[in-house]
Amino acid sequence: MNSMLNRSQQRTICSQLGRVKLQLLYKASIHGFTGPAFHQRCDNRCPTVSVGYNASGYVFGGYTKQPFSQSEAYVNDDQAFLFTFSGEKLLKYPVTSAVYAVKMVASCGPYFGEDLVLVYGSKAVVHSNPGNYYNFTAADMHGNDFTLTECEVYQVEENPEFEKPWRTINWESVKKNELKESITIYQPTDSSVSQARVLLIGPVGAGKSSFFNSINSVFRGHVTSQAMAGCFTTSLTRQFRTYSVKDGRKGKPLPIIFCDTMGLEESTGAGLDIDDISSILKGHLPDRYQFNPSASLDSDSSGYLKSPELKDKIHCVTYVIDACKVSIMPPKLEEKLNAIRRKVNLMGIPQLVLLTKVDEACPLVKEDVKNIYKSGYIKEMMQEVSARLGVPLSCVVPVKNYSEELELDPDCTTLLLSAIIQMLRFTDNYFDDISDK
C-alpha cells in the first residue's frame, strides 16, 4: 500500500511522539469505507494515528495510545490529540477530558470523543462536533468539507535502531587528523592534473554551497561562509563557480576544486539548464560564467574554452540531496536528475550522492551525529535515493553541513572528511579508466 501521508508530514507527526515511525494498517480506498473493514484491520493495534483527507486539500486526524475495539464504550487516554496540517505546520488539539478521549463504535471508523469521527456510519464522510472533549474549529480542521477522499490508519512503531553501525566509521580524533592529512597530500594519478575537479549538482536548497562552506570551515579551523548559501525557493548561485580550499588561512590550496552550479528546479526554463551540463562536464565553462536559464551555452559565449585540457574537465559528479525531501521529490525534478545521470554515464564520469540535513531528518542523528549508521530511518532514505537516482548504495554518503554552528564539531567534521575521501577515490577511478583507454 502506498501512503498518502508524505514523508515530511509523517516526520512532523512523529516528532510529537518520540523516536518512532508510522506503519500503514488501513486504507479505506482499498479495504473499504466501512466500520467493519476498519476494525478488521485495526482492532487491538496501538498506538495509532488516524488520518482523513478531503477534496479541499485538508489532511487531519487524531492520535490515541489505546487499542481500537468494538465495545461501544469510551476509553480513557490522557495523551490523545487531534491535528490538522496548515501547509507543513501541524496544528495540535489535545484532549480536554481524557475519560472521553476515544469511543469504540463498531459501525464507524476512528471515533474521537464526540468531536471528530472518520468513516462515520460506514460512509466516506466525517462527523464533526467540536468543543465537547477537543477544542478546535471545523473551518481549521477540515474546511467544513465533510466528504472523505481517503482515510488511513497507521500503527506507531519504535524506529529501528541498529545495535551495531551497519557501515564502519572511526570517530576518534586521531582518525580525523589522518583523513585531513590524506586529503592534504593527495595527488591525482594523472601527472597533468594537480587538482581533482568535483561538480556539485542538486535541487535548490539541498546544501551544495553549504557543503563547500563546511569543507572550507574544516580546513580553516573555524566556521566560515565563502559561497552564498541559504534557504530560498530559487537558486542563490547564478554563476558557474570554481572554489579552491586552502589548508589554513595562508596555506596551500588543497588538491581538490569544487564546481558549483545553479540549483536544479522543477519547472522548465528555471534553474540549471540540462543542456549546459555537457559543456560543464567537458570543461568548456570558465569560472564566473553567468548562467542564462532561458538559453543554453554555445561556443560563442564569452570566456568559452574551446579546447579544454584534462585539468579543466570534471573528474567526479556529486549529487547533493536533502534527506528531508527524498520521498517528496517532485517527479519532474527526478526526471531532470536522471537525464543528467544518463549524460554523465555516457561520459564515464564517476558519480556520488551526498545526503544532507540528516540531523533534521532523524531525531536519533540530531541527538548524536555518531548515530548516523545506527539509524534505520537514514538507511531507508539512503536506499530510497539510491533507487531513485540509480546509483549503488555504496555511492551514497550522508553528511551534516555546518549551518547554525559557530564552532566546529569533531563528529560532523569526520563525516565531511569521509565524503571528500570518497570523492578523491572516485576521481582516481576516472583517471584509471582514462589511462586504460
Side-chain angles (χ1 to χ4, degrees):
M1 292 185 293
N2 293 322
S3 166
M4 276 194 70
L5 205 60
N6 66 43
R7 286 281 187 182
S8 177
Q9 291 167 332
Q10 289 186 41
R11 192 170 57 252
T12 300
I13 292 172
C14 289
S15 69
Q16 303 291 321
L17 306 173
R19 195 180 296 162
V20 299
K21 68 174 185 176
L22 302 181
Q23 184 67 41
L24 187 57
L25 296 175
Y26 163 75
K27 191 175 181 74
S29 60
I30 294 176
H31 302 116
F33 283 92
T34 69
F38 156 72
H39 284 289
Q40 182 182 7
R41 301 284 303 182
C42 303
D43 278 3
N44 303 312
R45 307 293 284 270
C46 65
T48 55
V49 171
S50 303
V51 189
Y53 307 83
N54 62 28
S56 300
Y58 284 80
V59 179
F60 56 97
Y63 164 83
T64 177
K65 66 180 181 182
Q66 297 289 0
F68 288 112
S69 71
Q70 301 174 57
S71 66
E72 305 296 328
Y74 284 104
V75 177
N76 189 322
D77 185 354
D78 59 357
Q79 295 177 29
F81 63 86
L82 300 181
F83 64 86
T84 187
F85 278 94
S86 177
E88 290 296 310
K89 184 180 179 183
L90 185 82
L91 304 180
K92 182 178 175 181
Y93 308 98
V95 65
T96 57
S97 184
V99 293
Y100 300 107
V102 185
K103 192 174 183 180
M104 305 303 172
V105 180
S107 62
C108 297
Y111 203 116
F112 292 90
E114 296 294 340
D115 302 67
L116 185 73
V117 186
L118 304 177
V119 190
Y120 183 64
S122 289
K123 295 179 181 178
V125 296
V126 179
H127 170 74
S128 182
N129 186 26
N132 291 294
Y133 312 121
Y134 299 88
N135 291 324
F136 63 91
T137 66
D140 288 338
M141 180 65 73
H142 44 64
N144 287 308
D145 182 347
F146 298 99
T147 302
L148 289 173
T149 56
E150 185 62 277
C151 176
E152 296 177 329
V153 178
Y154 297 81
Q155 181 158 5
V156 179
E157 299 179 348
E158 289 295 318
N159 213 352
E161 178 181 339
F162 298 105
E163 189 174 333
K164 292 183 178 180
W166 60 272
R167 186 182 276 179
T168 304
I169 189 165
N170 189 333
W171 300 101
E172 294 178 6
S173 59
V174 173
K175 182 61 177 178
K176 181 189 70 174
N177 293 333
E178 287 177 1
L179 292 172
K180 284 186 74 173
E181 178 68 13
S182 297
I183 294 166
T184 303
I185 65 174
Y186 169 81
Q187 290 182 325
T189 53
D190 191 297
S191 58
S192 68
V193 180
S194 61
Q195 291 176 294
R197 288 171 73 91
V198 176
L199 176 63
L200 303 177
I201 297 176
V204 173
K208 294 185 292 88
S209 299
S210 294
F211 175 72
F212 163 74
N213 287 335
S214 297
I215 299 300
N216 200 26
S217 298
V218 168
F219 284 91
R220 284 294 184 94
H222 60 87
V223 176
T224 185
S225 182
Q226 181 179 340
M228 189 179 294
C231 301
F232 292 83
T233 55
T234 57
S235 181
L236 284 174
T237 305
R238 294 292 177 182
Q239 297 177 322
F240 175 73
R241 290 302 318 271
T242 59
Y243 293 107
S244 185
V245 179
K246 289 184 178 180
D247 184 15
R249 187 179 177 191
K250 296 183 179 180
K252 294 180 180 180
L254 295 178
I256 186 168
I257 290 176
F258 295 102
C259 302
D260 196 11
T261 62
M262 284 186 74
L264 290 174
E265 297 186 36
E266 181 182 1
S267 56
T268 305
L272 180 66
D273 192 308
I274 293 179
D275 292 332
D276 285 342
I277 290 291
S278 294
S279 297
I280 295 172
L281 297 174
K282 293 174 182 177
H284 291 300
L285 257 66
D287 185 28
R288 297 184 185 276
Y289 167 76
Q290 189 75 32
F291 286 109
N292 179 3
S294 61
S296 300
L297 177 76
D298 61 54
S299 58
D300 295 324
S301 299
S302 176
Y304 184 89
L305 303 176
K306 294 190 177 181
S307 301
E309 300 177 24
L310 182 59
K311 67 180 179 64
D312 302 311
K313 297 179 180 180
I314 297 301
H315 310 134
C316 174
V317 171
T318 299
Y319 303 101
V320 184
I321 306 294
D322 182 347
C324 301
K325 297 182 178 178
V326 172
S327 295
I328 57 172
M329 185 184 295
K332 288 184 179 179
L333 190 58
E334 189 173 339
E335 287 172 14
K336 280 190 176 183
L337 281 166
N338 283 316
I340 292 170
R341 184 178 56 80
R342 288 191 292 271
K343 282 180 180 283
V344 178
N345 281 343
L346 288 172
M347 298 181 69
I349 302 172
Q351 300 168 79
L352 192 71
V353 176
L354 283 185
L355 195 66
T356 61
K357 305 185 184 181
V358 289
D359 57 318
E360 295 179 30
C362 177
L364 184 66
V365 177
K366 191 175 186 67
E367 184 180 294
D368 187 347
V369 172
K370 289 199 290 289
N371 290 327
I372 187 76
Y373 292 123
K374 287 186 175 182
S375 167
Y377 182 78
I378 292 299
K379 186 173 185 182
E380 282 181 19
M381 290 300 97
M382 292 172 65
Q383 290 170 328
E384 184 169 349
V385 79
S386 165
R388 282 176 177 261
L389 298 188
V391 299
L393 185 60
S394 59
C395 297
V396 182
V397 181
V399 295
K400 181 195 177 308
N401 291 333
Y402 289 113
S403 57
E404 59 186 15
E405 299 83 356
L406 296 178
E407 301 296 334
L408 298 179
D409 175 82
D411 298 328
C412 290
T413 293
T414 296
L415 280 180
L416 291 162
L417 292 173
S418 297
I420 298 298
I421 291 293
Q422 286 301 104
M423 291 176 188
L424 296 179
R425 288 172 178 169
F426 278 37
T427 298
D428 281 345
N429 293 341
Y430 174 75
F431 292 131
D432 288 345
D433 285 345
I434 288 179
S435 65
D436 290 343
K437 292 176 183 177

